[in-house]
Amino acid sequence: MAQSTNSTLNASPREPDGSRATRRLRREGQVPGVLYGGEGEPISFSVDGRELRAALHASGAVVDLVVAGTSEPAVLKDAQRHPVRGEMTHVDFVRVNLNVAIQAVVPLIVVDAEESPGVVEGGVVDQPIREVNVEALPNEIPESIEISVATLNIGETAPLSSAVVPAGVTLLDEDDLVVVSLLAPRLEIEETIEEETELIGEDGEPIEGAGEEGEAGEGGEGGGGEGGGGGDESGEKSDDDAG
């Protein structure tokens, strides 16, 4: 059986009243929530906002939620936040069995960037995937999954299969999913774009005369020489007429 090393979160039972009571709780620094799932009935509760943040920031995905003296292991299922202040305004917790695997979303963290030969050359780490889906026992859900870019060169990518996965944890996303790329330096990219813009134009249409100036110059010089020769012939003919 998995050993419990969970944070304890003390909550107070509440009646699932209307919005007026909910607003009053929030003004008092409380966050309303509900606990559901498993074999128990849904329980509405309120919890101090600071204690809630502390419990969720502690290690491990599971908290021992204590309501009216009864403790149950639970994980955060959903959190609603204020659109401006970002503080939590409502939370949903779901009961878990510590001996049954659950699925969760955890952050994907890039490490060893300073050792990457591509980064040393000025390359830029691009991480399009920042979270991954995992499955594990509740107390074995990791805080994050790490992926190293220590050997990446510019133009190379790293698939999810190269991530470091703790024992007992299963990745649910595709192994060949590209999660990190090492891009060329931005300055080099901008210079290439500027060169292409000079020839093509910002609207994508070729610029008339681009690349033909040299040819036009050469043609003008040749024409000038012939014109000069023509002038000499005209001068000779005039002399003959005069004689």
Side-chain angles (χ1 to χ4, degrees):
M1 177 177 180
Q3 297 298 314
S4 176
T5 58
N6 311 328
S7 300
T8 299
L9 182 60
N10 294 297
S12 303
R14 68 176 178 89
E15 293 295 328
D17 297 326
S19 57
R20 178 178 299 179
T22 299
R23 287 196 298 268
R24 177 178 56 80
L25 285 172
R26 291 176 180 140
R27 286 196 300 268
E28 297 172 353
Q30 299 287 309
V31 179
V34 61
L35 172 68
Y36 57 89
E39 299 179 356
E41 294 293 325
I43 299 176
S44 297
F45 64 86
S46 62
V47 61
D48 182 83
R50 291 171 297 182
E51 294 183 11
L52 174 62
R53 290 192 296 271
L56 294 178
H57 289 163
S59 61
V62 182
V63 299
D64 289 328
L65 184 60
V66 182
V67 183
T70 301
S71 176
E72 297 185 86
V75 296
L76 180 67
K77 183 67 174 179
D78 184 46
Q80 299 176 18
R81 295 182 178 275
H82 190 279
V84 177
R85 297 189 295 270
E87 60 191 24
M88 285 179 284
T89 58
H90 190 278
V91 289
D92 290 2
F93 278 86
V94 61
R95 298 181 181 92
V96 293
N97 183 334
L98 298 181
N99 297 309
V100 177
I102 62 172
Q103 296 181 2
V105 178
V106 299
L108 180 66
I109 306 298
V110 173
V111 297
D112 302 327
E114 67 280 358
E115 300 178 14
S116 166
V119 172
V120 172
E121 294 174 3
V124 179
V125 176
D126 178 51
Q127 185 184 356
I129 306 297
R130 297 185 177 274
E131 293 180 330
V132 292
N133 297 282
V134 301
E135 184 176 82
L137 292 176
N139 278 328
E140 294 180 356
I141 296 291
E143 294 184 47
S144 63
I145 296 292
E146 295 185 349
I147 184 166
S148 174
V149 295
T151 62
L152 283 190
N153 294 290
I154 292 177
E156 294 181 339
T157 61
L160 182 58
S161 57
S162 61
V164 178
V165 183
V169 178
T170 302
L171 290 173
L172 301 179
D173 300 300
E174 296 294 331
D175 288 343
D176 58 355
L177 177 66
V178 174
V179 294
V180 182
S181 301
L182 200 54
L183 306 180
R186 185 171 182 80
L187 180 60
E188 181 180 315
I189 296 175
E190 291 178 347
E191 290 177 350
T192 301
I193 293 175
E194 289 177 359
E195 292 174 0
E196 293 177 351
T197 302
E198 291 176 359
L199 296 176
I200 299 177
E202 296 181 356
D203 58 358
E205 295 295 331
I207 298 177
E208 294 184 4
E212 298 178 359
E213 294 179 358
E215 296 177 4
E218 293 174 1
E221 292 175 0
E226 292 176 0
D232 292 341
E233 292 177 0
S234 176
E236 291 175 0
K237 185 176 181 181
S238 299
D239 292 339
D240 292 341
D241 292 342

